[in-house]
């Protein structure tokens, strides 16, 4: 993998981590303004945390076949956590599941473009 690709993954990890922390801290103050913003603030951490974690995988496993399997395994774990919230006292939200799936699809798509 080229240095350019590694720079993208490092930047993605850092940016996603910072944005997820900011959204996590700010969302209680911003809830209730409108439904679209509430949905975004509720699901953004799921997307950002997963995309940030998935950004580390290509630096460790540059092979595309191993990357796809790793992304699917990590995504399955994140989806299991989201679905498990339905049966526990935690908050289950379908938009978190959608955000998790979108993060995985975006990572696979971007990796295919960068790996060329």
């Amino acid at each position: 993998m080229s240095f350019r690709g590694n720079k993208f993954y490092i930047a993605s990890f850092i940016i996603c981590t910072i944005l997820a922390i900011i959204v996590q801290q700010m969302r209680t103050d911003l809830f209730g303004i409108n439904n679209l913003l509430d949905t975004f603030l509720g699901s953004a951490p799921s997307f950002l945390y997963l995309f940030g974690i998935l950004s580390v995988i290509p630096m460790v496993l540059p092979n595309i076949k191993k990357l796809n399997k790793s992304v699917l395994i990590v995504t399955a774990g994140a989806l299991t956590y989201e679905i498990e919230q339905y049966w526990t006292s935690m908050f289950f939200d379908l938009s978190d599941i959608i955000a998790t799936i979108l993060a995985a699809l975006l990572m696979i798509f971007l990796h295919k473009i960068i790996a060329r």
Side-chain angles (χ1 to χ4, degrees):
M1 181 182 311
S2 70
F3 180 68
R4 181 178 142 242
N6 278 339
K7 284 174 43 177
F8 168 77
Y9 295 120
I10 292 168
S12 293
F13 176 76
I14 292 169
I15 290 169
C16 285
T17 302
I18 291 169
L19 286 177
I21 292 169
I22 290 171
V23 168
Q24 213 47 11
Q25 296 297 316
M26 300 293 292
R27 71 183 183 169
T28 54
D29 296 335
L30 298 174
F31 268 133
I33 295 174
N34 68 29
N35 288 337
L36 184 61
L37 182 63
D38 290 350
T39 302
F40 172 77
L41 292 172
S43 300
S46 296
F47 178 89
L48 293 169
Y49 285 134
L50 184 65
F51 194 81
I53 291 168
L54 294 178
S55 296
V56 174
I57 294 173
M59 292 184 288
V60 178
L61 298 171
N63 184 338
I64 186 76
K65 290 182 182 180
K66 289 183 181 180
L67 174 97
N68 288 343
K69 287 180 184 178
S70 298
V71 167
L72 290 175
I73 289 169
V74 173
T75 303
L79 287 172
T80 301
Y81 170 73
E82 294 295 342
I83 293 169
E84 180 260 342
Q85 292 180 32
Y86 182 75
W87 288 280
T88 63
S89 60
M90 301 173 94
F91 185 74
F92 173 78
D93 189 7
L94 184 61
S95 39
D96 285 347
I97 292 173
I98 294 169
T100 301
I101 292 169
L102 287 176
L105 292 174
L106 182 62
M107 176 52 68
I108 291 171
F109 175 74
L110 290 175
H111 183 71
K112 286 183 181 182
I113 291 173
I114 292 170
R116 287 185 188 170

